[in-house]
């Protein structure tokens, strides 16, 4: 196999795995970054700011090809998706031309088999699939069918805007996307040459605003809701996901001005971590009932202002703060799952995503 940079690549490997790419906002999105950033993850859990990997316009979310040195990023304000080659060190370069996306394209993800990239658009609700070639380059673009609000009867005098926010390739190969505006989870099947074909959807409570997802080893999917500051669990039953749990995302409850952002799993899948902007908290949730419950254990200060995204790497929790320009690192207690005090803090301009390179 030959990589997109023209050098041999080994199946299942990506070079420079100590690098974490940072999504960010540039001035066109109200931020202070210059493009995609790069952090070096050291063995003691500390992060080192390496600088801007490539200039880009508000690459608020990035994703990494599973086997090739290729990174994908949105250009949120410019309505585009762009592929980049990893050419060595912490440097990226554009790979091909940008591809059109939708309004406020806020998330991008790569299929674990490297067949396609999905992008979701907060502004107009579009869900898009981009097929990839053997080098990781984008070759085709397919828009998915638009969302229909299952809660339309709740607001007959006002048509709610669909707001697709994130996508996740599931263990069985299907794709799940969230829609903040319509309070839905949509499940899709990938059909080569066609894109995403609607399979079924799960309606969550009106006004909840499902934002981000994580799949547990049980097959259940955990959802954090931006608006209602809750967590949900949906379980696959005979191929169809069903809502089996709803609970608060924090121990201390939602506060005025709060909006939940990210949810991720800790080592072993026994704890989950949800970020809440506004009150700037990370909530630790215990995973119960074989992955069918999420029970708040403790809320901790996130270590900065506006925790947009966070990442667990081994015993470390890294939290990206969009407004205070920093990534705070906590050591996780292996028994309780609880973060200790901030052990490292690195300045990073307007970080909005933390994505390991491999």
């Amino acid at each position: 196999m030959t990589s997109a940079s023209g050098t041999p690549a080994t199946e299942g490997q990506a070079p420079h795995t100590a690098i974490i790419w940072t999504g960010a906002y540039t001035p066109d999105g109200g931020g202070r970054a210059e493009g995609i950033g790069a952090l070096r993850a050291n063995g003691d859990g500390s992060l080192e700011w390496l600088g801007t990997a490539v200039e880009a316009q508000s690459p608020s979310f990035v994703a990494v090809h599973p086997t090739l040195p290729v990174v994908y990023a949105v250009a949120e304000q410019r309505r585009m998706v762009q592929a980049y080659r990893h050419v060595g060190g912490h440097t990226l370069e554009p790979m091909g031309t940008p591809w059109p996306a939708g309004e406020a394209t806020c998330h991008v993800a790569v299929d674990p088999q490297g067949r396609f990239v999905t992008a979701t658009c907060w502004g107009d609700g579009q869900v898009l699939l981009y097929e990839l070639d053997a080098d990781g380059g984008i070759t085709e673009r397919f828009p998915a069918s638009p969302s229909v609000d299952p809660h339309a009867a709740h607001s007959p005098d006002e048509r709610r805007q669909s707001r697709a926010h994130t996508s996740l390739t599931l263990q069985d190969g299907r794709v799940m996307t969230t829609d903040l505006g319509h309070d839905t989870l949509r499940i899709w099947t990938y059909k080569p040459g066609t894109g995403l074909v609607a399979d079924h959807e799960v309606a969550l409570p009106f006004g909840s605003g499902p934002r981000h997802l994580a799949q547990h080893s049980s097959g259940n999917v955990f959802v954090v809701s931006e608006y209602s500051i809750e967590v949900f669990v949906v379980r696959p039953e005979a191929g169809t996901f069903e809502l089996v749990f709803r609970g608060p995302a924090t121990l201390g409850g939602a506060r005025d001005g709060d909006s939940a952002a990210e949810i991720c799993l800790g080592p072993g899948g026994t704890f989950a971590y949800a970020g809440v902007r506004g009150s700037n908290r990370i909530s630790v949730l215990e995973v119960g009932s074989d992955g069918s419950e999420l029970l708040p254990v403790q809320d901790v200060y996130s270590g900065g202002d506006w925790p947009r995204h966070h990442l667990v790497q081994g015993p470390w929790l890294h939290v990206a703060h969009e407004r205070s320009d920093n990534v705070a690192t906590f050591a996780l207690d292996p028994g309780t799952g609880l973060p200790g005090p901030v052990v490292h803090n690195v300045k990073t301009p307007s970080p909005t995503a933390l994505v390991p390179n491999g």
Side-chain angles (χ1 to χ4, degrees), residues 199-217:
D199 187 306
H200 68 285
E201 66 180 50
V202 180
L204 297 186
F206 179 78
S208 55
R211 178 181 169 97
H212 273 211
L213 308 166
Q215 188 167 27
H216 189 256
S217 58

Side-chain angles (χ1 to χ4, degrees), residues 160-181:
R160 298 199 304 168
Q161 174 64 53
S162 168
R163 297 197 183 281
H165 200 281
T166 193
S167 63
L168 174 70
T169 301
L170 303 171
Q171 294 167 1
D172 63 11
R174 291 181 294 176
V175 175
M176 182 180 288
T177 59
T178 62
D179 195 304
L180 276 162

